[in-house]
Amino acid sequence: MGFSLKLYNTLTREKAEFKPIDRQNVRMYVCGPTVYDYAHIGNARPVIVFDVLFRLLRHVYGENHVTYARNITDVDDKINARALRDHPGLPLNEAIRAVTEKTERQFHADAAELGCLEPTVEPRATDNIEQMIGIIDKLIANGHAYVAGGEVLFDTKSMHDYGRLSKRPLDEQQAGARVAVDAHKKNPGDFVLWKLSSHNEPGWESPWGRGRPGWHIECSAMSGRYLGEVFDIHGGGLDLIFPHHENEIAQSRCAHGTDVMANVWMHNGFVQVEGRKMSKSEGNFITIYDLLHTETFGGRKWPGDVLRLAMLMTHYREPIDFSVKRLEEAERLLSKWPAADPSGAAPCDTVLEALSDDLNTVAAVQALHALAQEAQSDKALLPVFAASADLLGVLPQKTEIDEALASAVDALVAMRLELLKAKNFAEADKIRNELSEKGIQLKDGKDPATGERVTTWEVKR
């Protein structure tokens, strides 16, 4: 690769050349889902964005030289309460698994349909309680945490540059959404590392009593365990900068005595739906499952590659307006792209250059579309197009049509022609629409010799 990878770093507010700590093991951590409920379309954005980065890093440094960790959050008071209620006879971790396994399976199915590769490692919070307790123990020993009011809290004033990521002065900080401001805190911005559980609440044994971890400590524990005390890239949504990522940094740096937790911090922008903030109260809360399997949005189901491309048509740091119009635009683009085999080919330089400029997927998609048009007339470019599309995770799939299916389509096409001759346009349109839903596109034309209508068909994408 003759050009350098540049990434925008939230920590420095600058775009700079990416220099891995170890080219033989480039390490990235991304905050994953809380498996209490099905993932919504806003959750899909970081899954797709950082999948593209994962693919790019693998292309640059080699598939076996990139470690991508994305956690599963299954420590959550709502999950814990449901586990206790629904499975009182099971050990806590088993009860939590019983509550979350369906949601976790659906998340994995959704991510696969969105064309995402599996991360290298996907640790669960409940499997890393011991590591969380170890970090909290270090923070107390180092004078960065204290026990008060049945909780272990991080002392934000003990860290001289707390707030460096969010650039928020300490006296303006507010406690996180899951952390109440209580009298036992030394400072209003101090946050919970461990909280005690009552006899009817789930909990784990610890040096400070039976309890459960706070919100932020899990990511410090899992990233440290699987990627090391300092690693290359940490990603997530813009909404996580404060308090979650700010507090991750505080915990990790103060426990390990390091200057940074990750060298590069990347954050994707917010997702709106049809111009409005997504929320259940607005009635526009849409899950990935809804889009893929129901007719909730736009009166139809949407293929995973259409959802993925629609996301990539906006730069990851910009806000995105997720709309039916945008999905239709993505679908039109995909319908014009050829299915081809990328074997032995490398992605084209224009696509690589775009992605290497802070993951500019907008320019990459434009370059890919231009390449698709060139490949229509120059078939030698088809493998290059396919390799480039595969790098973005939007490689059109060739659909195999067996003889029986082809005969059935031919029969429906012939029936439609007869209906058109009889001017029964409603039934003719019905056949066209039914075939279109099955991925069969009809093309009407005229026989040059007789002038009669003829119809050909092809498989869309």
Side-chain angles (χ1 to χ4, degrees):
M1 183 172 171
F3 33 87
S4 65
L5 172 58
K6 293 184 174 66
L7 298 173
Y8 181 84
N9 189 351
T10 308
L11 193 63
T12 61
R13 302 297 197 269
E14 290 179 347
K15 185 164 65 175
E17 182 179 352
F18 173 65
K19 295 180 180 178
I21 298 166
D22 178 4
R23 292 179 64 92
Q24 298 303 308
N25 185 18
V26 182
R27 288 160 287 162
M28 176 171 72
Y29 185 92
V30 176
C31 291
T34 299
V35 286
Y36 179 73
D37 205 349
Y38 282 14
H40 57 69
I41 194 59
N43 302 137
R45 195 173 193 192
V47 173
I48 293 169
V49 164
F50 292 104
D51 178 71
V52 173
L53 181 55
F54 183 37
R55 289 167 181 267
L56 180 62
L57 292 171
R58 281 159 51 106
H59 175 77
V60 175
Y61 298 101
E63 289 186 11
N64 297 324
H65 300 295
V66 181
T67 303
Y68 173 21
R70 184 183 66 209
N71 71 298
I72 294 285
T73 295
D74 58 354
V75 173
D76 177 272
D77 281 353
K78 288 181 180 178
I79 293 172
N80 292 346
R82 187 180 291 179
L84 186 69
R85 182 195 72 194
D86 295 350
H87 307 281
L90 287 179
L92 181 57
N93 278 9
E94 290 180 31
I96 286 173
R97 292 284 165 93
V99 168
T100 60
E101 61 184 4
K102 179 184 176 184
T103 310
E104 185 179 344
R105 276 199 309 271
Q106 189 57 55
F107 172 74
H108 288 144
D110 291 344
E113 290 223 41
L114 293 172
C116 297
L117 303 174
E118 292 183 3
T120 316
V121 60
E122 196 172 38
R124 298 176 67 107
T126 50
D127 291 335
N128 290 271
I129 300 295
E130 183 182 338
Q131 285 72 24
M132 297 179 208
I133 290 171
I135 291 177
I136 296 169
D137 214 18
K138 284 184 180 179
L139 289 170
I140 293 172
N142 293 345
H144 292 290
Y146 60 94
V147 180
E151 297 177 336
V152 183
L153 296 131
F154 184 89
D155 183 354
T156 48
K157 284 196 174 177
S158 72
M159 183 181 184
H160 75 280
D161 58 352
Y162 179 82
R164 184 175 156 201
L165 181 70
S166 61
K167 304 290 191 284
R168 294 168 65 150
L170 187 57
D171 57 4
E172 294 178 13
Q173 310 263 357
Q174 298 297 317
R178 304 188 198 183
V179 182
V181 177
D182 294 316
H184 62 272
K185 291 184 178 182
K186 289 183 180 178
N187 318 292
D190 292 356
F191 57 91
V192 173
L193 300 170
W194 189 265
K195 49 190 170 184
L196 296 183
S197 297
S198 63
H199 71 281
N200 61 346
E201 289 178 320
W204 290 263
E205 293 302 325
S206 82
W208 318 285
R210 182 176 167 278
R212 57 206 190 279
W215 175 23
H216 316 293
I217 193 67
E218 62 180 82
C219 289
S220 288
M222 287 183 278
S223 63
R225 180 177 182 179
Y226 293 97
L227 302 181
E229 294 177 359
V230 178
F231 51 94
D232 295 295
I233 299 168
H234 195 313
L238 199 63
D239 56 316
L240 296 180
I241 292 176
F242 185 85
H244 187 49
H245 287 169
E246 193 74 82
N247 291 346
E248 277 187 52
I249 290 172
Q251 295 161 164
S252 294
R253 284 183 54 199
C254 291
H256 305 309
T258 57
D259 290 332
V260 292
M261 176 186 182
N263 284 336
V264 180
W265 287 80
M266 297 176 68
H267 295 92
N268 62 270
F270 293 113
V271 176
Q272 289 187 321
V273 177
E274 298 287 1
R276 294 181 300 147
K277 181 180 179 181
M278 185 176 62
S279 70
K280 289 182 178 178
S281 61
E282 286 279 336
N284 64 349
F285 185 88
I286 303 164
T287 68
I288 305 169
Y289 179 88
D290 289 337
L291 291 161
L292 291 167
H293 302 289
T294 75
E295 297 179 357
T296 303
F297 195 66
R300 54 163 291 192
K301 300 173 186 175
W302 298 95
D305 55 355
V306 171
L307 301 178
R308 183 183 180 96
L309 183 59
M311 284 284 187
L312 299 182
M313 287 161 62
T314 298
H315 192 278
Y316 80 90
R317 286 197 286 121
E318 297 297 322
I320 188 171
D321 185 17
F322 200 78
S323 64
V324 171
K325 183 179 177 182
R326 174 50 61 96
L327 291 176
E328 289 172 344
E329 185 182 350
E331 190 164 48
R332 280 194 299 273
L333 268 184
L334 282 165
S335 71
K336 296 173 183 176
W337 293 355
D341 185 355
S343 298
C348 74
D349 283 353
T350 49
V351 171
L352 278 171
E353 285 169 0
L355 292 179
S356 296
D357 181 16
D358 191 33
L359 223 60
N360 189 345
T361 56
V362 180
V365 168
Q366 291 169 347
L368 189 62
H369 185 58
L371 183 60
Q373 292 176 311
E374 288 181 55
Q376 302 288 4
S377 53
D378 184 357
K379 302 302 181 189
L381 290 173
L382 282 172
V384 179
F385 166 79
S388 304
D390 196 35
L391 186 60
L392 280 164
V394 290
L395 176 62
Q397 298 300 310
K398 191 177 290 185
T399 305
E400 298 295 334
I401 299 290
D402 61 32
E403 287 186 22
L405 182 56
S407 297
V409 174
D410 286 339
L412 286 169
V413 169
M415 185 187 301
R416 177 176 172 272
L417 285 172
E418 291 301 318
L419 289 166
L420 289 170
K421 283 180 185 177
K423 300 191 183 304
N424 190 344
F425 300 115
E427 288 300 315
D429 285 347
K430 189 175 178 183
I431 289 175
R432 174 190 280 276
N433 293 338
E434 286 176 356
L435 288 173
S436 179
E437 286 181 6
K438 292 178 170 61
I440 307 295
Q441 185 171 14
L442 303 186
K443 292 187 177 181
D444 290 325
K446 286 187 178 180
D447 186 311
T450 65
E452 289 192 12
R453 183 194 296 266
V454 292
T455 301
T456 58
W457 59 272
E458 63 182 26
V459 178
K460 294 190 294 183
R461 303 199 313 279

